[in-house]
Amino acid sequence: MCERDTTEPVVDQGGTDPNRRYRPYRPADARSAVERAVTACRGGDGHASCDAGALSDAVLVASELTTNAIVHGGGITDFRIDVVGPGLRLSVCDRSHDLPVAVPPTDDRGHRRPGGRGWPIVCRLAREVRVADLPSGGKCITVVVPLF
């Protein structure tokens, strides 16, 4: 880890207002934001503070959460990343109150159904998973993905 325990939350690099929160429009944007946050916490020798597998897990979790918010949650309403202690804390908020669920890979007639694998992946890779209703409507999913 870097000398500080926490990085600053990721903010929009391209906007005119530096205080505006960054909100990815595509899962690829979320993946890039995670890579930037972890890279910002590199040691003085230029080596990453986590191994490639841990970074890959964090990138996958960010991609899954943002995809689910876009596809099932009515869009992303907030997105926050912090490197905290030995992990990456990621919060993705959306407009839906519906809780994420694991969907069986086949329907009642035995036909394979697409999707349904993202939430189990998130739950398996994250050390902590919290889902909270938001006072303004919608929900926020916060996870901590270990970086070691």
Side-chain angles (χ1 to χ4, degrees), residues 92-129:
V92 179
C93 304
D94 63 39
R95 292 179 175 84
S96 174
H97 286 289
D98 296 339
L99 297 175
V101 294
V103 179
T106 58
D107 63 17
D108 294 338
R109 296 183 298 170
H111 296 111
R112 287 192 69 66
R113 62 174 74 162
R117 293 167 188 80
W119 185 242
I121 289 170
V122 168
C123 292
R124 180 149 178 107
L125 296 177
R127 182 179 63 222
E128 298 175 26
V129 178

mmCIF file of all heavy atoms in Angstrom, residues 92-129:
data_model
loop_
_atom_site.group_PDB
_atom_site.id
_atom_site.type_symbol
_atom_site.label_atom_id
_atom_site.label_comp_id
_atom_site.label_asym_id
_atom_site.label_seq_id
_atom_site.Cartn_x
_atom_site.Cartn_y
_atom_site.Cartn_z
ATOM 1 N N VAL A 92 -21.309 1.592 -5.938
ATOM 2 C CA VAL A 92 -22.047 1.883 -7.163
ATOM 3 C C VAL A 92 -23.512 2.021 -6.770
ATOM 4 O O VAL A 92 -24.097 1.107 -6.190
ATOM 5 C CB VAL A 92 -21.877 0.774 -8.217
ATOM 6 C CG1 VAL A 92 -22.681 1.099 -9.468
ATOM 7 C CG2 VAL A 92 -20.405 0.582 -8.558
ATOM 8 N N CYS A 93 -24.088 3.185 -7.070
ATOM 9 C CA CYS A 93 -25.490 3.446 -6.743
ATOM 10 C C CYS A 93 -26.307 3.508 -8.024
ATOM 11 O O CYS A 93 -25.808 3.936 -9.069
ATOM 12 C CB CYS A 93 -25.622 4.769 -5.993
ATOM 13 S SG CYS A 93 -24.606 4.841 -4.492
ATOM 14 N N ASP A 94 -27.578 3.091 -7.920
ATOM 15 C CA ASP A 94 -28.467 3.145 -9.077
ATOM 16 C C ASP A 94 -29.870 3.558 -8.638
ATOM 17 O O ASP A 94 -30.102 3.835 -7.461
ATOM 18 C CB ASP A 94 -28.465 1.813 -9.845
ATOM 19 C CG ASP A 94 -28.983 0.636 -9.042
ATOM 20 O OD1 ASP A 94 -29.956 0.791 -8.270
ATOM 21 O OD2 ASP A 94 -28.422 -0.460 -9.189
ATOM 22 N N ARG A 95 -30.802 3.597 -9.570
ATOM 23 C CA ARG A 95 -32.153 4.094 -9.318
ATOM 24 C C ARG A 95 -33.135 3.035 -8.811
ATOM 25 O O ARG A 95 -34.248 3.349 -8.445
ATOM 26 C CB ARG A 95 -32.712 4.708 -10.604
ATOM 27 C CG ARG A 95 -32.009 5.957 -11.013
ATOM 28 C CD ARG A 95 -32.593 6.518 -12.311
ATOM 29 N NE ARG A 95 -31.985 7.787 -12.624
ATOM 30 C CZ ARG A 95 -30.836 7.937 -13.265
ATOM 31 N NH1 ARG A 95 -30.181 6.868 -13.673
ATOM 32 N NH2 ARG A 95 -30.346 9.123 -13.504
ATOM 33 N N SER A 96 -32.759 1.782 -8.809
ATOM 34 C CA SER A 96 -33.673 0.693 -8.477
ATOM 35 C C SER A 96 -33.573 0.291 -7.008
ATOM 36 O O SER A 96 -32.495 0.282 -6.427
ATOM 37 C CB SER A 96 -33.355 -0.525 -9.348
ATOM 38 O OG SER A 96 -34.138 -1.631 -8.958
ATOM 39 N N HIS A 97 -34.723 -0.073 -6.423
ATOM 40 C CA HIS A 97 -34.743 -0.624 -5.070
ATOM 41 C C HIS A 97 -34.584 -2.144 -5.094
ATOM 42 O O HIS A 97 -34.420 -2.762 -4.046
ATOM 43 C CB HIS A 97 -36.054 -0.284 -4.371
ATOM 44 C CG HIS A 97 -36.141 1.134 -3.940
ATOM 45 N ND1 HIS A 97 -35.399 1.646 -2.897
ATOM 46 C CD2 HIS A 97 -36.872 2.166 -4.407
ATOM 47 C CE1 HIS A 97 -35.675 2.921 -2.740
ATOM 48 N NE2 HIS A 97 -36.561 3.273 -3.648
ATOM 49 N N ASP A 98 -34.658 -2.756 -6.279
ATOM 50 C CA ASP A 98 -34.576 -4.212 -6.379
ATOM 51 C C ASP A 98 -33.201 -4.705 -5.948
ATOM 52 O O ASP A 98 -32.177 -4.199 -6.405
ATOM 53 C CB ASP A 98 -34.848 -4.676 -7.814
ATOM 54 C CG ASP A 98 -36.265 -4.364 -8.264
ATOM 55 O OD1 ASP A 98 -37.139 -4.169 -7.399
ATOM 56 O OD2 ASP A 98 -36.483 -4.301 -9.480
ATOM 57 N N LEU A 99 -33.210 -5.710 -5.092
ATOM 58 C CA LEU A 99 -31.952 -6.292 -4.631
ATOM 59 C C LEU A 99 -31.372 -7.192 -5.711
ATOM 60 O O LEU A 99 -32.109 -7.849 -6.446
ATOM 61 C CB LEU A 99 -32.188 -7.111 -3.362
ATOM 62 C CG LEU A 99 -32.687 -6.333 -2.154
ATOM 63 C CD1 LEU A 99 -32.994 -7.283 -1.006
ATOM 64 C CD2 LEU A 99 -31.673 -5.291 -1.733
ATOM 65 N N PRO A 100 -30.047 -7.247 -5.803
ATOM 66 C CA PRO A 100 -29.445 -8.154 -6.780
ATOM 67 C C PRO A 100 -29.706 -9.606 -6.356
ATOM 68 O O PRO A 100 -29.771 -9.911 -5.165
ATOM 69 C CB PRO A 100 -27.960 -7.820 -6.727
ATOM 70 C CG PRO A 100 -27.760 -7.010 -5.509
ATOM 71 C CD PRO A 100 -29.064 -6.468 -5.068
ATOM 72 N N VAL A 101 -29.863 -10.466 -7.345
ATOM 73 C CA VAL A 101 -30.111 -11.881 -7.061
ATOM 74 C C VAL A 101 -29.257 -12.741 -7.986
ATOM 75 O O VAL A 101 -28.907 -12.337 -9.085
ATOM 76 C CB VAL A 101 -31.604 -12.265 -7.247
ATOM 77 C CG1 VAL A 101 -32.473 -11.564 -6.235
ATOM 78 C CG2 VAL A 101 -32.074 -11.948 -8.651
ATOM 79 N N ALA A 102 -28.969 -13.928 -7.507
ATOM 80 C CA ALA A 102 -28.299 -14.921 -8.349
ATOM 81 C C ALA A 102 -29.397 -15.661 -9.117
ATOM 82 O O ALA A 102 -30.378 -16.093 -8.530
ATOM 83 C CB ALA A 102 -27.497 -15.892 -7.496
ATOM 84 N N VAL A 103 -29.241 -15.764 -10.413
ATOM 85 C CA VAL A 103 -30.235 -16.422 -11.257
ATOM 86 C C VAL A 103 -29.686 -17.772 -11.685
ATOM 87 O O VAL A 103 -28.535 -17.864 -12.130
ATOM 88 C CB VAL A 103 -30.541 -15.549 -12.501
ATOM 89 C CG1 VAL A 103 -31.547 -16.222 -13.400
ATOM 90 C CG2 VAL A 103 -31.033 -14.179 -12.073
ATOM 91 N N PRO A 104 -30.486 -18.840 -11.550
ATOM 92 C CA PRO A 104 -30.013 -20.150 -12.004
ATOM 93 C C PRO A 104 -29.656 -20.111 -13.489
ATOM 94 O O PRO A 104 -30.266 -19.368 -14.260
ATOM 95 C CB PRO A 104 -31.203 -21.079 -11.756
ATOM 96 C CG PRO A 104 -32.056 -20.363 -10.771
ATOM 97 C CD PRO A 104 -31.822 -18.896 -10.987
ATOM 98 N N PRO A 105 -28.652 -20.893 -13.900
ATOM 99 C CA PRO A 105 -28.225 -20.864 -15.299
ATOM 100 C C PRO A 105 -29.250 -21.422 -16.281
ATOM 101 O O PRO A 105 -29.154 -21.182 -17.466
ATOM 102 C CB PRO A 105 -26.950 -21.705 -15.315
ATOM 103 C CG PRO A 105 -27.017 -22.535 -14.088
ATOM 104 C CD PRO A 105 -27.846 -21.786 -13.091
ATOM 105 N N THR A 106 -30.259 -22.147 -15.779
ATOM 106 C CA THR A 106 -31.315 -22.681 -16.655
ATOM 107 C C THR A 106 -32.674 -22.304 -16.101
ATOM 108 O O THR A 106 -32.847 -22.090 -14.895
ATOM 109 C CB THR A 106 -31.224 -24.221 -16.781
ATOM 110 O OG1 THR A 106 -31.327 -24.797 -15.480
ATOM 111 C CG2 THR A 106 -29.909 -24.647 -17.424
ATOM 112 N N ASP A 107 -33.662 -22.236 -16.997
ATOM 113 C CA ASP A 107 -35.026 -21.948 -16.570
ATOM 114 C C ASP A 107 -35.724 -23.241 -16.125
ATOM 115 O O ASP A 107 -35.107 -24.306 -16.076
ATOM 116 C CB ASP A 107 -35.799 -21.212 -17.667
ATOM 117 C CG ASP A 107 -35.977 -22.024 -18.936
ATOM 118 O OD1 ASP A 107 -35.804 -23.255 -18.904
ATOM 119 O OD2 ASP A 107 -36.292 -21.409 -19.976
ATOM 120 N N ASP A 108 -37.024 -23.153 -15.842
ATOM 121 C CA ASP A 108 -37.782 -24.310 -15.357
ATOM 122 C C ASP A 108 -37.832 -25.459 -16.360
ATOM 123 O O ASP A 108 -38.035 -26.609 -15.981
ATOM 124 C CB ASP A 108 -39.209 -23.890 -14.996
ATOM 125 C CG ASP A 108 -39.241 -22.945 -13.815
ATOM 126 O OD1 ASP A 108 -38.263 -22.937 -13.040
ATOM 127 O OD2 ASP A 108 -40.228 -22.205 -13.672
ATOM 128 N N ARG A 109 -37.676 -25.147 -17.636
ATOM 129 C CA ARG A 109 -37.726 -26.192 -18.664
ATOM 130 C C ARG A 109 -36.340 -26.697 -19.048
ATOM 131 O O ARG A 109 -36.198 -27.469 -19.974
ATOM 132 C CB ARG A 109 -38.455 -25.662 -19.899
ATOM 133 C CG ARG A 109 -39.922 -25.328 -19.578
ATOM 134 C CD ARG A 109 -40.665 -24.870 -20.788
ATOM 135 N NE ARG A 109 -40.066 -23.641 -21.291
ATOM 136 C CZ ARG A 109 -40.359 -23.087 -22.444
ATOM 137 N NH1 ARG A 109 -41.239 -23.649 -23.245
ATOM 138 N NH2 ARG A 109 -39.789 -21.968 -22.820
ATOM 139 N N GLY A 110 -35.296 -26.237 -18.349
ATOM 140 C CA GLY A 110 -33.941 -26.704 -18.612
ATOM 141 C C GLY A 110 -33.212 -25.951 -19.703
ATOM 142 O O GLY A 110 -32.101 -26.321 -20.074
ATOM 143 N N HIS A 111 -33.812 -24.861 -20.216
ATOM 144 C CA HIS A 111 -33.143 -24.058 -21.236
ATOM 145 C C HIS A 111 -32.155 -23.094 -20.581
ATOM 146 O O HIS A 111 -32.472 -22.453 -19.586
ATOM 147 C CB HIS A 111 -34.166 -23.259 -22.054
ATOM 148 C CG HIS A 111 -35.100 -24.129 -22.825
ATOM 149 N ND1 HIS A 111 -36.430 -24.227 -22.509
ATOM 150 C CD2 HIS A 111 -34.880 -24.943 -23.889
ATOM 151 C CE1 HIS A 111 -37.013 -25.059 -23.357
ATOM 152 N NE2 HIS A 111 -36.085 -25.520 -24.195
ATOM 153 N N ARG A 112 -30.966 -23.001 -21.184
ATOM 154 C CA ARG A 112 -29.967 -22.064 -20.662
ATOM 155 C C ARG A 112 -30.461 -20.635 -20.823
ATOM 156 O O ARG A 112 -31.035 -20.280 -21.832
ATOM 157 C CB ARG A 112 -28.640 -22.234 -21.403
ATOM 158 C CG ARG A 112 -27.935 -23.521 -20.999
ATOM 159 C CD ARG A 112 -26.512 -23.604 -21.481
ATOM 160 N NE ARG A 112 -25.532 -22.723 -20.895
ATOM 161 C CZ ARG A 112 -25.120 -22.755 -19.626
ATOM 162 N NH1 ARG A 112 -25.671 -23.581 -18.783
ATOM 163 N NH2 ARG A 112 -24.168 -21.956 -19.211
ATOM 164 N N ARG A 113 -30.242 -19.863 -19.801
ATOM 165 C CA ARG A 113 -30.603 -18.448 -19.888
ATOM 166 C C ARG A 113 -29.337 -17.608 -19.867
ATOM 167 O O ARG A 113 -28.357 -17.984 -19.218
ATOM 168 C CB ARG A 113 -31.556 -18.045 -18.783
ATOM 169 C CG ARG A 113 -31.020 -18.196 -17.400
ATOM 170 C CD ARG A 113 -31.979 -17.646 -16.390
ATOM 171 N NE ARG A 113 -33.102 -18.549 -16.254
ATOM 172 C CZ ARG A 113 -33.939 -18.564 -15.247
ATOM 173 N NH1 ARG A 113 -33.801 -17.715 -14.271
ATOM 174 N NH2 ARG A 113 -34.923 -19.397 -15.187
ATOM 175 N N PRO A 114 -29.359 -16.489 -20.576
ATOM 176 C CA PRO A 114 -28.172 -15.623 -20.601
ATOM 177 C C PRO A 114 -28.030 -14.863 -19.279
ATOM 178 O O PRO A 114 -29.010 -14.612 -18.587
ATOM 179 C CB PRO A 114 -28.462 -14.661 -21.753
ATOM 180 C CG PRO A 114 -29.949 -14.618 -21.830
ATOM 181 C CD PRO A 114 -30.434 -15.977 -21.416
ATOM 182 N N GLY A 115 -26.823 -14.513 -18.963
ATOM 183 C CA GLY A 115 -26.573 -13.669 -17.796
ATOM 184 C C GLY A 115 -26.776 -14.400 -16.483
ATOM 185 O O GLY A 115 -26.828 -15.627 -16.408
ATOM 186 N N GLY A 116 -26.885 -13.599 -15.417
ATOM 187 C CA GLY A 116 -27.132 -14.140 -14.101
ATOM 188 C C GLY A 116 -25.892 -14.567 -13.337
ATOM 189 O O GLY A 116 -25.988 -15.115 -12.248
ATOM 190 N N ARG A 117 -24.718 -14.323 -13.891
ATOM 191 C CA ARG A 117 -23.494 -14.772 -13.229
ATOM 192 C C ARG A 117 -22.743 -13.657 -12.502
ATOM 193 O O ARG A 117 -21.859 -13.914 -11.700
ATOM 194 C CB ARG A 117 -22.564 -15.427 -14.247
ATOM 195 C CG ARG A 117 -23.134 -16.722 -14.772
ATOM 196 C CD ARG A 117 -22.381 -17.207 -15.999
ATOM 197 N NE ARG A 117 -23.014 -18.344 -16.623
ATOM 198 C CZ ARG A 117 -24.051 -18.291 -17.436
ATOM 199 N NH1 ARG A 117 -24.604 -17.130 -17.728
ATOM 200 N NH2 ARG A 117 -24.560 -19.382 -17.969
ATOM 201 N N GLY A 118 -23.099 -12.413 -12.780
ATOM 202 C CA GLY A 118 -22.363 -11.279 -12.224
ATOM 203 C C GLY A 118 -22.437 -11.157 -10.718
ATOM 204 O O GLY A 118 -21.413 -10.952 -10.056
ATOM 205 N N TRP A 119 -23.622 -11.267 -10.142
ATOM 206 C CA TRP A 119 -23.764 -11.097 -8.697
ATOM 207 C C TRP A 119 -23.004 -12.179 -7.917
ATOM 208 O O TRP A 119 -22.301 -11.854 -6.955
ATOM 209 C CB TRP A 119 -25.231 -11.035 -8.309
ATOM 210 C CG TRP A 119 -25.421 -10.748 -6.854
ATOM 211 C CD1 TRP A 119 -26.023 -11.552 -5.947
ATOM 212 C CD2 TRP A 119 -24.994 -9.580 -6.140
ATOM 213 N NE1 TRP A 119 -25.996 -10.966 -4.704
ATOM 214 C CE2 TRP A 119 -25.384 -9.752 -4.791
ATOM 215 C CE3 TRP A 119 -24.329 -8.414 -6.499
ATOM 216 C CZ2 TRP A 119 -25.122 -8.799 -3.811
ATOM 217 C CZ3 TRP A 119 -24.077 -7.466 -5.513
ATOM 218 C CH2 TRP A 119 -24.467 -7.666 -4.193
ATOM 219 N N PRO A 120 -23.090 -13.464 -8.318
ATOM 220 C CA PRO A 120 -22.273 -14.457 -7.617
ATOM 221 C C PRO A 120 -20.770 -14.190 -7.734
ATOM 222 O O PRO A 120 -20.015 -14.443 -6.790
ATOM 223 C CB PRO A 120 -22.646 -15.786 -8.289
ATOM 224 C CG PRO A 120 -24.007 -15.559 -8.836
ATOM 225 C CD PRO A 120 -24.032 -14.109 -9.235
ATOM 226 N N ILE A 121 -20.324 -13.658 -8.860
ATOM 227 C CA ILE A 121 -18.912 -13.310 -9.026
ATOM 228 C C ILE A 121 -18.527 -12.216 -8.036
ATOM 229 O O ILE A 121 -17.502 -12.302 -7.356
ATOM 230 C CB ILE A 121 -18.613 -12.874 -10.471
ATOM 231 C CG1 ILE A 121 -18.679 -14.079 -11.412
ATOM 232 C CG2 ILE A 121 -17.261 -12.170 -10.576
ATOM 233 C CD1 ILE A 121 -18.624 -13.722 -12.890
ATOM 234 N N VAL A 122 -19.365 -11.181 -7.940
ATOM 235 C CA VAL A 122 -19.106 -10.083 -7.005
ATOM 236 C C VAL A 122 -19.017 -10.625 -5.580
ATOM 237 O O VAL A 122 -18.080 -10.307 -4.834
ATOM 238 C CB VAL A 122 -20.200 -8.996 -7.117
ATOM 239 C CG1 VAL A 122 -20.116 -8.006 -5.968
ATOM 240 C CG2 VAL A 122 -20.107 -8.280 -8.453
ATOM 241 N N CYS A 123 -19.978 -11.455 -5.192
ATOM 242 C CA CYS A 123 -20.006 -11.984 -3.819
ATOM 243 C C CYS A 123 -18.807 -12.889 -3.528
ATOM 244 O O CYS A 123 -18.330 -12.937 -2.396
ATOM 245 C CB CYS A 123 -21.312 -12.735 -3.577
ATOM 246 S SG CYS A 123 -22.746 -11.641 -3.559
ATOM 247 N N ARG A 124 -18.322 -13.574 -4.518
ATOM 248 C CA ARG A 124 -17.169 -14.467 -4.318
ATOM 249 C C ARG A 124 -15.852 -13.688 -4.213
ATOM 250 O O ARG A 124 -14.984 -14.050 -3.424
ATOM 251 C CB ARG A 124 -17.079 -15.457 -5.460
ATOM 252 C CG ARG A 124 -15.912 -16.395 -5.320
ATOM 253 C CD ARG A 124 -16.213 -17.714 -5.916
ATOM 254 N NE ARG A 124 -15.075 -18.588 -5.827
ATOM 255 C CZ ARG A 124 -14.996 -19.608 -4.996
ATOM 256 N NH1 ARG A 124 -15.999 -19.862 -4.199
ATOM 257 N NH2 ARG A 124 -13.944 -20.375 -4.978
ATOM 258 N N LEU A 125 -15.698 -12.622 -4.978
ATOM 259 C CA LEU A 125 -14.429 -11.894 -5.013
ATOM 260 C C LEU A 125 -14.311 -10.811 -3.941
ATOM 261 O O LEU A 125 -13.202 -10.438 -3.565
ATOM 262 C CB LEU A 125 -14.209 -11.276 -6.388
ATOM 263 C CG LEU A 125 -14.055 -12.264 -7.543
ATOM 264 C CD1 LEU A 125 -13.918 -11.508 -8.861
ATOM 265 C CD2 LEU A 125 -12.877 -13.193 -7.318
ATOM 266 N N ALA A 126 -15.430 -10.300 -3.456
ATOM 267 C CA ALA A 126 -15.403 -9.215 -2.475
ATOM 268 C C ALA A 126 -15.357 -9.772 -1.057
ATOM 269 O O ALA A 126 -15.974 -10.787 -0.753
ATOM 270 C CB ALA A 126 -16.626 -8.319 -2.650
ATOM 271 N N ARG A 127 -14.603 -9.083 -0.211
ATOM 272 C CA ARG A 127 -14.511 -9.478 1.193
ATOM 273 C C ARG A 127 -15.737 -8.987 1.965
ATOM 274 O O ARG A 127 -16.205 -9.637 2.874
ATOM 275 C CB ARG A 127 -13.229 -8.902 1.792
ATOM 276 C CG ARG A 127 -13.017 -9.285 3.240
ATOM 277 C CD ARG A 127 -11.736 -8.712 3.793
ATOM 278 N NE ARG A 127 -11.796 -7.267 3.765
ATOM 279 C CZ ARG A 127 -10.795 -6.478 3.399
ATOM 280 N NH1 ARG A 127 -9.661 -6.980 3.013
ATOM 281 N NH2 ARG A 127 -10.928 -5.180 3.415
ATOM 282 N N GLU A 128 -16.233 -7.831 1.613
ATOM 283 C CA GLU A 128 -17.421 -7.268 2.259
ATOM 284 C C GLU A 128 -18.390 -6.861 1.159
ATOM 285 O O GLU A 128 -17.967 -6.327 0.132
ATOM 286 C CB GLU A 128 -17.064 -6.025 3.071
ATOM 287 C CG GLU A 128 -16.115 -6.274 4.203
ATOM 288 C CD GLU A 128 -15.701 -4.966 4.886
ATOM 289 O OE1 GLU A 128 -16.475 -3.988 4.826
ATOM 290 O OE2 GLU A 128 -14.609 -4.948 5.453
ATOM 291 N N VAL A 129 -19.675 -7.097 1.387
ATOM 292 C CA VAL A 129 -20.709 -6.684 0.435
ATOM 293 C C VAL A 129 -21.863 -6.096 1.244
ATOM 294 O O VAL A 129 -22.380 -6.752 2.143
ATOM 295 C CB VAL A 129 -21.230 -7.878 -0.409
ATOM 296 C CG1 VAL A 129 -22.339 -7.432 -1.343
ATOM 297 C CG2 VAL A 129 -20.096 -8.546 -1.176
#
